[in-house]
Amino acid sequence: MNKFSAALNVHIEQIREWGQREVRPAGLEADRNGAPLPPDHPYFAGYVDFRRRHPGPVDDGAVPEGPAVRMAANNEENAYWDRGMGVAAPGPGLPAPIVTAAGTPEQREHFLGPFRGSEIPRWGSFALTEPSGGSDTAAFRTRATRTDRGFLLNGAKCFIGNAARADWVLVQANLDPDKGRSGQRSFFVERGNRGMTGIKVENKMGLRAYESVSFILEDCEVPRDNILGGERPEQTSRSSAYGATMGTLNTTRVGVAASAVGLARSAYDEALNFAKQSGAFRSIRVRDRLEAMHRQLRAAWLMTLRAAWKADSRIPNIVDASMAKVFAAETAQDLASAGMEIVGLEAAAGHHLVEKLFRDAKALNIVEGTGQIQRIIMARHLVGLPR
Amino acid sequence: MDFARGESDEIIAETIGRFAADELRPRLREFEAARTVGESVRERFAALGFEALDIAEEAGGAGLGLLARVRTNRLLAEADAGAALALDRFAPAIYVIEAFGGVEPLKSLGMNLGQSDLRFALVMDPGAGDTAGARVAGHVAWIPAARADVLVGLGPQGAWVLKDGFAFEPVRGAALHAAGASAVRFDGTPILAWHDPMRAARALARIRIYYASLIWGVLSDAAGFSRSYALDRVAFGKPIAHHQALAFLIVDMYVAVARLGLLIEDAAMAIDAGEGRAVGAAAAAFVDAIEASRFVGPNGVQILGGHGFMRDFPVEKAMRDCRALGLLAGGCDSAREDAGAGLAATISERIAA
């Protein structure tokens, strides 16, 4: 139940080779600098070239695994080498499935087209979270109002990945507050829009390799064509931009879970290597700790794979996805913390990879639905917890 | 990669599930008091054809592998783990004989599993295999069985089989009463004895998964029962399940059971496939079962409050049963040690491999 096909293993091996040679050093460089690598850093051009040469399995039937399992395998291996560099990778990123699902044909071509076969690094970005709250999407305050030429956006967004370097940011705003969540729509704000101000790249505890950006939308004017799905979304494949967004987040939870497993595996390997080299492995207490880490890691990976497999098999997986997300994220945190314990003062000195992993891991239990939100989602399904 | 279950799995699950719900669940306190499931229930279970589900076909079993046994055990133990043990005349003792000698020793014992009425029991004997051919002697304070015709001893170095020279003495027992509860004294010359640490480890792996799957069933039921209770029971104007403290606890219990199930099935598949990681995976799954039982068992009682402490509800039985199951097969610490020792060989291992 947990074996990949030979074709997918070939792809994973390619990521592994690239990750060891390029991704980990780049991630460590960004971490030491305390800032993401600049967009013109040679790493990103190299990444685009690597992806052009090794695009990975596609839905042509040559690989038996479905897209969710492939994504999980890809994310796990990438995050093993550096989770932050994975988020910083050039490409349309999180908005791609949203635009594909809910965008008009013209929007798909205009906003996603430039990424196809591009030889230069370019980024897309998705702006959901606001300073007033991250989990309660119904309480978001960013508003969109209609004008003769399109829309005016007003509000603020925070912790938005890659927003300062993106060609465009897909911004979630409420066009009809009386309708609550269903009044929310998404708008493409293109680079250079003067209404997008106060752009600040945050200074983070970990995952320093990618930009987390805060910005203000101040009478930010966007053309009529830039509302996702057009003015009448019923003409698109999804009736609600909010629904498309939330549907995407359900899918990406499994991706985050896989990334958490990759990070956790890295922490485990670091701890085990250290324990063996230092002789600590001879201690039964250290072996017990490593055994618990290994077991937790294995369970997290199996949970993630099952949630992905259900998605590919079109079996409802909301509970599985939330379970995988919360368990894998907590596993990453637990294993990185236990890794610090095993490596000891070498970790406290700040030079050891496990110390970086410890700082990186915490975010995974916060992004794309905190551990508490995942438990609420599960409780709604398991015991009908009221909203 | 496939998490799907085949048609035969579904048929087995449906048949066993119905048997457990109709024949075992309603009578669990009756079995507990009688310290047996009784011959009629045993005969009806045998008639279903699932007695020797995972024993080799040449020995009269169905040859369906450990994974099928694990899933069957889970369903039976959801109703009553003690009854599940009582209904199984062979496992896990017979795993030892299979691991060391294949089917030939089974034949030499004069049995065709499908027809004979022999009953096997297992004891852990640290000295087993040390001196092949010599007398074996010892005392085990408790096993969940009332009697046996063949006693099998297993230790890290090897194993032995006794047909005579052992006696069962009834004891009160802390749990799993439907299976009976006995102290075992043995002092005799084995009819079969082996020295082979590798085979001993492989036999122990199957045994650990066997017991872990029973724990899985017990915990699955404890989590499910307490969840249902929490939806019915109202406090402060709403079902107690809708108070977030309990809602989160119920979620975490669900996650613990799901995690355990994945590890057990993963290890069972590894054993069935003869993978090198099987011994470590089985030890880890057994440890996980014990850790999960320490969390889910008591919290199943906790959710029911004072009612949970009363024998009117099955959660107190679940708490006792899963704790006792975790003491078998050498217990938690030796399993943790085996799982930890295996890690030395898995450095930088790809977890998915």
Side-chain angles (χ1 to χ4, degrees):
Chain A
M1 75 181 175
N2 51 8
K3 296 269 199 256
F4 292 143
S5 65
L8 185 53
N9 276 327
V10 167
H11 179 58
I12 292 169
E13 189 55 45
Q14 289 163 349
I15 297 174
R16 182 175 302 147
E17 190 273 332
W18 166 259
Q20 188 168 17
R21 194 182 70 232
E22 302 287 345
V23 178
R24 178 154 295 166
L28 289 170
E29 180 183 342
D31 191 64
R32 276 195 302 272
N33 295 344
L37 303 181
D40 60 356
H41 191 285
Y43 170 83
F44 295 116
Y47 176 85
V48 170
D49 181 57
F50 169 74
R51 277 297 178 189
R52 211 173 49 244
R53 287 185 290 113
H54 304 295
V58 291
D59 285 313
D60 60 1
V63 178
E65 289 87 356
V69 169
R70 296 201 307 261
M71 173 192 66
N74 186 79
N75 285 14
E76 197 272 347
E77 188 63 39
N78 266 315
Y80 180 88
W81 299 107
D82 198 281
R83 159 68 179 167
M85 290 306 297
V87 181
L94 184 59
I98 300 173
V99 178
T100 300
T104 64
E106 294 77 18
Q107 287 171 339
R108 289 199 286 269
E109 185 54 35
H110 180 71
F111 292 106
L112 298 182
F115 289 93
R116 288 194 285 272
S118 174
E119 294 187 3
I120 59 164
R122 53 175 76 238
W123 288 264
S125 178
F126 178 60
L128 184 69
T129 304
E130 302 192 355
S132 58
S135 299
D136 184 3
T137 52
F140 285 175
R141 294 178 186 167
T142 298
R143 296 284 180 262
T145 51
R146 285 190 174 82
T147 67
D148 291 342
R149 287 180 296 184
F151 304 92
L152 277 184
L153 306 184
N154 281 283
K157 295 289 179 180
C158 64
F159 315 147
I160 309 304
N162 299 324
R165 62 182 64 190
D167 290 358
W168 45 261
V169 181
L170 188 63
V171 172
Q172 192 89 345
N174 205 320
L175 185 59
D176 191 348
D178 292 341
K179 289 185 179 173
R181 285 191 180 93
S182 61
Q184 290 188 11
R185 300 295 304 274
S186 299
F187 302 85
F188 294 96
V189 177
E190 296 178 70
R191 193 213 299 267
N193 189 317
R194 282 181 295 178
M196 185 172 159
T197 65
I199 296 172
K200 179 194 172 201
V201 178
E202 301 286 357
N203 185 13
K204 293 181 289 188
M205 171 172 75
L207 296 179
R208 291 168 168 170
Y210 77 93
E211 295 172 349
S212 290
V213 180
S214 298
F215 58 85
I216 295 165
L217 297 159
E218 198 168 14
D219 287 337
C220 178
E221 189 170 1
V222 297
R224 186 172 294 120
D225 291 343
N226 280 20
I227 182 170
L228 181 69
E231 280 258 44
R232 298 169 63 193
E234 62 275 16
Q235 292 176 345
T236 68
S237 56
R238 301 289 289 267
S239 62
S240 153
Y242 181 77
T245 304
M246 291 301 124
T248 297
L249 290 180
N250 281 341
T251 305
T252 56
R253 271 181 199 128
V254 180
V256 175
S259 295
V261 173
L263 192 155
R265 182 162 63 91
S266 188
Y268 169 77
D269 274 358
E270 290 302 310
L272 182 59
N273 274 322
F274 185 90
K276 291 192 75 174
Q277 287 163 9
S278 67
F281 195 77
R282 288 193 293 272
S283 158
I284 194 165
R285 286 184 185 159
V286 171
R287 280 206 303 277
D288 283 359
R289 196 180 287 272
L290 285 162
E291 182 280 320
M293 293 166 71
H294 187 268
R295 181 158 38 92
Q296 191 174 352
L297 179 60
R298 182 75 184 169
W301 185 224
L302 290 169
M303 268 185 205
T304 303
L305 287 178
R306 187 168 65 174
W309 173 82
K310 281 192 175 181
D312 288 338
S313 306
R314 300 187 183 283
I315 298 170
N317 79 335
I318 290 178
V319 172
D320 298 85
S322 287
M323 179 165 63
K325 163 71 170 67
V326 67
F327 187 74
E330 290 177 0
T331 295
Q333 184 63 40
D334 289 349
L335 266 59
S337 184
M340 288 280 283
E341 186 79 25
I342 289 170
V343 177
L345 295 180
E346 292 286 336
H351 307 306
H352 200 281
L353 176 62
V354 79
E355 185 272 337
K356 174 182 176 295
L357 295 172
F358 177 69
R359 287 184 283 111
D360 287 351
K362 190 72 205 88
L364 292 164
N365 204 23
I366 299 170
V367 298
E368 294 193 41
T370 63
Q372 288 67 40
I373 290 293
Q374 304 307 331
R375 284 182 169 86
I376 287 171
I377 292 169
M378 292 175 70
R380 281 178 187 155
H381 284 80
L382 293 174
V383 297
L385 185 71
R387 290 178 181 274
Chain B
M1 198 194 71
D2 193 355
F3 286 83
R5 294 190 176 192
E7 197 177 341
S8 63
D9 294 324
E10 298 297 340
I11 292 170
I12 292 171
E14 189 185 333
T15 309
I16 294 290
R18 197 164 31 217
F19 176 84
D22 294 347
E23 302 275 358
L24 304 184
R25 181 71 180 203
R27 300 174 63 188
L28 62 93
R29 294 299 187 189
E30 178 191 331
F31 297 152
E32 208 176 20
R35 295 180 165 249
T36 177
V37 296
E39 275 313 305
S40 61
V41 173
R42 221 174 248 145
E43 284 166 12
R44 283 198 289 281
F45 181 71
L48 294 176
F50 296 135
E51 257 200 319
L53 200 67
D54 53 333
I55 306 303
E57 285 181 271
E58 306 92 291
L64 289 179
L66 188 58
L67 184 61
R69 167 56 61 193
V70 155
R71 289 172 174 169
T72 301
N73 271 4
R74 184 231 174 140
L75 291 167
L76 292 172
E78 279 183 341
D80 185 350
L85 285 166
L87 291 171
D88 195 341
R89 294 187 291 124
F90 312 118
I94 206 165
Y95 297 158
V96 177
I97 302 174
E98 266 199 319
F100 282 95
V103 296
E104 289 309 316
L106 297 176
K107 291 176 181 169
S108 74
L109 284 167
M111 54 190 166
N112 178 328
L113 296 180
Q115 294 167 4
S116 80
D117 196 31
L118 287 175
R119 203 170 174 87
F120 294 71
L122 172 73
V123 293
M124 304 306 290
D125 174 18
D130 284 351
T131 50
R135 286 183 74 85
V136 294
H139 177 259
V140 175
W142 169 74
I143 67 167
R147 69 165 193 86
D149 305 293
V150 178
L151 187 68
V152 177
L154 176 68
Q157 300 299 315
W160 47 254
V161 178
L162 285 176
K163 278 197 85 172
D164 299 296
F166 61 89
F168 280 48
E169 304 153 19
V171 295
R172 190 180 68 83
L176 304 164
H177 289 129
S182 306
V184 181
R185 194 172 296 282
F186 54 93
D187 186 356
T189 303
I191 56 167
L192 293 166
W194 301 277
H195 175 89
D196 188 335
M198 290 292 286
R199 288 179 194 274
R202 285 205 286 271
L204 185 56
R206 280 181 85 182
I207 293 163
R208 280 172 170 154
I209 288 303
Y210 180 91
Y211 288 130
S213 64
L214 292 172
I215 295 175
W216 181 23
V218 172
L219 298 185
S220 179
D221 185 64
F225 188 93
S226 55
R227 170 177 162 265
S228 296
Y229 178 91
L231 284 166
D232 289 340
R233 175 82 173 178
V234 173
F236 303 106
K238 57 184 177 183
I240 60 173
H242 292 176
H243 295 280
Q244 204 171 70
L246 278 188
F248 278 18
L249 177 60
I250 290 166
V251 164
D252 286 343
M253 289 164 70
Y254 177 88
V255 172
V257 174
R259 157 189 167 147
L260 173 60
L262 285 165
L263 288 173
I264 288 172
E265 292 201 345
D266 182 49
M269 286 184 205
I271 289 171
D272 284 340
E275 293 178 24
R277 68 185 180 92
V279 169
F286 188 60
V287 174
D288 210 68
I290 294 163
E291 291 188 355
S293 72
R294 289 176 185 161
F295 173 61
V296 176
N299 277 315
V301 174
Q302 187 74 22
I303 288 171
L304 271 71
H307 291 294
F309 203 69
M310 306 302 150
R311 288 169 54 84
D312 301 336
F313 292 95
V315 286
E316 64 80 26
K317 180 175 181 303
M319 182 177 139
R320 290 184 290 112
D321 283 350
C322 65
R323 187 68 280 253
L325 284 164
L327 303 176
L328 295 165
C332 186
D333 287 340
S334 72
R336 199 189 297 278
E337 181 57 22
D338 288 349
L343 297 180
T346 61
I347 190 163
S348 294
E349 163 197 55
R350 180 166 171 71
I351 296 301

